Amino acid sequence: MLFDTTTQSGEDIVIVPQQPEIRSCAEVSYNDLYHYEETDESLHSSTSKPPTPSPTEDAAFDSSNFDTARDVTGSISSGSSIRQSSSDNLITRDPRHGAFTFAVHGEYDMLLHVQRSMDKCRGKTAEGGADAVKLAKAIMKSIDEYCVKEQWMYHVGNTKGLAIGRFLRSALDLFVQNGSVKERKFICVELGTYCGYSALVLTSTLLQFVSEHPTTFPIEFKIFTTEISTNFVNVSQSIFRMAKVDAHITPIIIKESTGENISDVMKQYDISHIDFLLLDHAKDRYLPDLTNLESRGLIKQGSHVGADNVVFNRLDSYRQHMLALKEQGVVDSRLEEMNLEYSNNLKDGIEMTCYRKDPPI
């Protein structure tokens, strides 16, 4: 537990960080999250991992090059323009803590930063801090501040968060219009929790949408988010409790050693359909996991799928799959380009797809 929840009503919640195991910079946080496709020959990516630098090499790494312009766009063209909020450009952190530098226990440092920020603004969000949407937005703003002033981290960030929120609202509009709201809950699944930032984006968007439609049929929803690291699950659950949204989010720890397909994991939680899927986990798992969910009928007509980092990581096979489905009239799919989170002029984008028909099996 990262929170001491035994305090009396009205007292500050105190973070009690557990002592994580000591890891080198080369082992911490993000090394296995980025994967570059070298060929488009196979739908299933290699299971091999990129070489891990030694701690000495990592310490000597100059990250300043990653905060300058570099063309890493994939081979599939896009008609969308790059969107970027001004807040993402105010990077004042030490260049040694820039993009793709990894601080040992940085997630816990970030968590403490957020707690201090929330202590300072206590009482400013809403009476008693009960407004979960405002709390979530305040927490995301604090995380953004930490990442541009202290240490780069792998959250989706403000600009991507706004784009994901817009896309999720389009999925909710369709859910209401086609009458599904009368029959069942709206199900969100996120693959790749990390520290919970993107789950806050999903939850706050859903809560805001519900509050804006009080006269329609009651909209019930549930969010499931998967992660392979128990350390990251601990951090994310603390974030969810701070935002008072933990009742809406079910964390799922994926055990890689079992070799289960993602659809088998979903079935264990009685998930028979996915209305909104966000892919932000290991990049070489995007396509295999998506096609597995398609083949098992969890992704179907009306499903919306967002895939982050498809430009920066050159996920051409994934985008080729969506292009093929688009040519068959199965999906509408577009790329929304923007900068990589907490960087200047480092190109990235989110592939946003709506299934007009059930995918072919």
Side-chain angles (χ1 to χ4, degrees), residues 133-176:
V133 174
K134 290 184 178 179
L135 280 171
K137 289 181 178 179
I139 288 170
M140 289 187 286
K141 182 178 179 180
S142 178
I143 294 174
D144 291 337
E145 178 184 65
Y146 179 83
C147 291
V148 298
K149 293 183 178 180
E150 301 295 335
Q151 173 64 53
W152 181 87
M153 298 181 79
Y154 187 58
H155 312 292
V156 294
N158 180 62
T159 301
K160 287 183 176 180
L162 293 173
I164 292 168
R166 290 191 298 269
F167 187 49
L168 175 55
R169 289 183 72 92
S170 69
L172 287 163
D173 286 335
L174 180 62
F175 184 73
V176 172

Side-chain angles (χ1 to χ4, degrees), residues 10 124 208 235 289 310:
K124 297 180 181 179
Q208 184 70 42
V235 172
D289 287 344
V310 295

Side-chain angles (χ1 to χ4, degrees), residues 160-219:
K160 287 183 176 180
L162 293 173
I164 292 168
R166 290 191 298 269
F167 187 49
L168 175 55
R169 289 183 72 92
S170 69
L172 287 163
D173 286 335
L174 180 62
F175 184 73
V176 172
Q177 291 168 10
N178 65 19
S180 297
V181 66
K182 304 177 185 178
E183 304 169 357
R184 56 180 175 81
K185 291 182 180 180
F186 184 90
I187 301 297
C188 273
V189 173
E190 172 192 42
L191 303 186
T193 312
Y194 189 39
C195 295
Y197 189 113
S198 48
L200 286 187
V201 171
L202 300 177
T203 312
S204 59
T205 301
L206 285 159
L207 290 172
Q208 184 70 42
F209 187 90
V210 170
S211 70
E212 293 171 357
H213 298 78
T215 59
T216 61
F217 290 94
I219 302 173

Side-chain angles (χ1 to χ4, degrees), residues 189-327:
V189 173
E190 172 192 42
L191 303 186
T193 312
Y194 189 39
C195 295
Y197 189 113
S198 48
L200 286 187
V201 171
L202 300 177
T203 312
S204 59
T205 301
L206 285 159
L207 290 172
Q208 184 70 42
F209 187 90
V210 170
S211 70
E212 293 171 357
H213 298 78
T215 59
T216 61
F217 290 94
I219 302 173
E220 297 184 69
F221 66 88
K222 189 66 180 178
I223 299 171
F224 298 87
T225 180
T226 69
E227 179 54 61
I228 62 174
S229 167
T230 56
N231 287 335
F232 294 167
V233 169
N234 288 336
V235 172
S236 64
Q237 286 186 303
S238 295
I239 291 291
F240 301 154
R241 285 193 290 270
M242 266 196 281
K244 302 186 185 300
V245 298
D246 49 304
H248 299 291
I249 304 172
T250 299
I252 301 174
I253 297 178
I254 301 291
K255 297 180 180 179
E256 292 183 293
S257 59
T258 64
E260 289 182 302
N261 290 325
I262 190 63
S263 60
D264 293 331
V265 175
M266 297 294 105
K267 295 292 186 181
Q268 293 172 20
Y269 289 83
D270 297 322
I271 301 172
S272 59
H273 65 276
I274 298 174
D275 295 294
F276 189 89
L277 174 66
L278 180 60
L279 301 174
D280 198 14
H281 58 323
K283 307 311 168 188
D284 58 346
R285 293 303 310 168
Y286 278 29
L287 188 55
D289 287 344
L290 177 72
T291 53
N292 176 247
L293 292 170
E294 288 177 342
S295 67
R296 299 290 292 273
L298 278 77
I299 296 295
K300 58 185 71 174
Q301 181 179 3
S303 295
H304 285 60
V305 180
D308 192 16
N309 304 125
V310 295
V311 172
F312 186 82
N313 291 92
R314 304 166 186 162
L315 302 185
D316 288 346
S317 291
Y318 179 90
R319 298 197 61 213
Q320 289 284 3
H321 175 74
M322 288 306 182
L323 180 60
L325 291 180
K326 185 176 181 179
E327 291 174 346

